[in-house]
Amino acid sequence: KYPKQLESDVDLLTEIGVDHVFSPSCDMMYRKNHATFVDPMGFDQTREGIARPNHFRGVATVVTKLFNIIQPTNAYFGQKDAVQCALIRRIVDDLNIDVNVQIMDTVREPDGLAMSSRNAYLTPDERDKAPVVYRALCAAGELFESRFARGLEEVDASDLQEVVESLLQTEHLIREVQYVAVDDLKTMQPIRKVGSNGCIVSLACMLGSVRLIDNIVLRG
């Protein structure tokens, strides 16, 4: 669950010069007898999709409705939600939606923790330990770069997963590692070998009672 903080969000948007905020109620978006959904194939089989059944049908439906209502020229999404980004690009291409999708780099705190409204649920001790998530991903990046620097043309995905999992397991406040995935950059489908085309390494874990996700893009 995400904290609902519309008023503070609007205040922040006002400070940077935003003129309009679209914030419809659930009843406005899903009227009585609503029966139509956008259900893209394959995304429920990603590691994030397995962890959150039917989540991506909801994402695809509400984003398609948003594009139809607003008809924006550009739409901006954060890289932190990696599967969501791939999904939105897919529906825009498949359904011929006239919008330029811009994927923005993950915005991080000074210590590396990916910014998220869920971070507000972390206790002070959990917040202090949370940067281990990004450090674990960076460790995979360092391994990837070192292998290529030695002249190797491919890196085993399992090696990247192992280094991430090993570092996460050093933090006792992480009570569950839901997954560490090494996937194709465009399709978010798992790959066994990572070559010059690169990959995305993503993870989900429970830090205390808070579910954190993050990822890092690796390119050869």
Side-chain angles (χ1 to χ4, degrees), residues 144 148 152-155 184-185 191 193-199 217-220:
F144 178 77
F148 270 79
L152 297 180
E153 296 183 354
E154 290 184 327
V155 178
D184 181 90
L185 285 166
I191 53 179
K193 299 281 188 179
V194 185
S196 59
N197 289 334
C199 67
V217 175
L218 304 181
R219 300 185 186 276

Side-chain angles (χ1 to χ4, degrees), residues 11 22 39-40 44 49 53 56-57 73 76 85 95 97 99 117-118 133 149 155 163 170 193 204 214 219:
D11 289 341
F22 180 62
D39 196 1
D44 279 346
F56 291 112
R57 184 181 81 157
T73 301
Y76 299 86
C85 292
L95 301 180
I97 301 174
V99 59
S117 56
R118 284 184 178 178
V133 171
V155 178
V163 73
T170 65
K193 299 281 188 179
D214 202 352
R219 300 185 186 276

Side-chain angles (χ1 to χ4, degrees), residues 45-47 157 161 181-184 187-192:
Q45 285 71 54
T46 64
R47 295 301 297 272
Q161 290 171 310
V182 179
D183 298 319
D184 181 90
T187 67
M188 294 303 296
Q189 296 302 307
I191 53 179
R192 297 177 61 187

Side-chain angles (χ1 to χ4, degrees), residues 35-53:
T36 303
F37 296 89
V38 179
D39 196 1
M41 296 176 63
F43 287 90
D44 279 346
Q45 285 71 54
T46 64
R47 295 301 297 272
E48 183 68 8
I50 292 169
R52 304 175 74 181

Side-chain angles (χ1 to χ4, degrees), residues 31-145:
R31 295 191 290 267
K32 185 179 180 180
N33 300 322
H34 179 96
T36 303
F37 296 89
V38 179
D39 196 1
M41 296 176 63
F43 287 90
D44 279 346
Q45 285 71 54
T46 64
R47 295 301 297 272
E48 183 68 8
I50 292 169
R52 304 175 74 181
N54 297 319
H55 171 69
F56 291 112
R57 184 181 81 157
V59 170
T61 301
V62 75
V63 171
T64 300
K65 288 173 69 70
L66 175 67
F67 289 162
N68 286 338
I69 294 166
I70 303 298
Q71 298 184 12
T73 301
N74 299 296
Y76 299 86
F77 298 89
Q79 175 61 44
K80 187 175 80 71
D81 295 293
V83 181
Q84 175 177 281
C85 292
L87 167 71
I88 291 168
R89 282 174 162 159
R90 184 77 272 143
I91 61 175
V92 165
D93 188 48
D94 288 352
L95 301 180
N96 302 104
I97 301 174
D98 188 17
V99 59
N100 298 314
V101 175
Q102 307 287 339
I103 306 302
M104 311 304 292
D105 290 341
T106 299
V107 180
R108 300 185 179 279
E109 302 287 357
D111 59 8
L113 177 65
M115 288 188 179
S116 170
S117 56
R118 284 184 178 178
N119 294 348
Y121 292 137
L122 295 169
T123 68
D125 192 24
E126 290 166 351
R127 174 61 187 85
D128 184 58
K129 304 299 185 183
V132 70
V133 171
Y134 185 53
R135 290 202 304 273
L137 292 169
C138 288
E142 291 168 3
L143 176 63
F144 178 77
E145 291 175 1

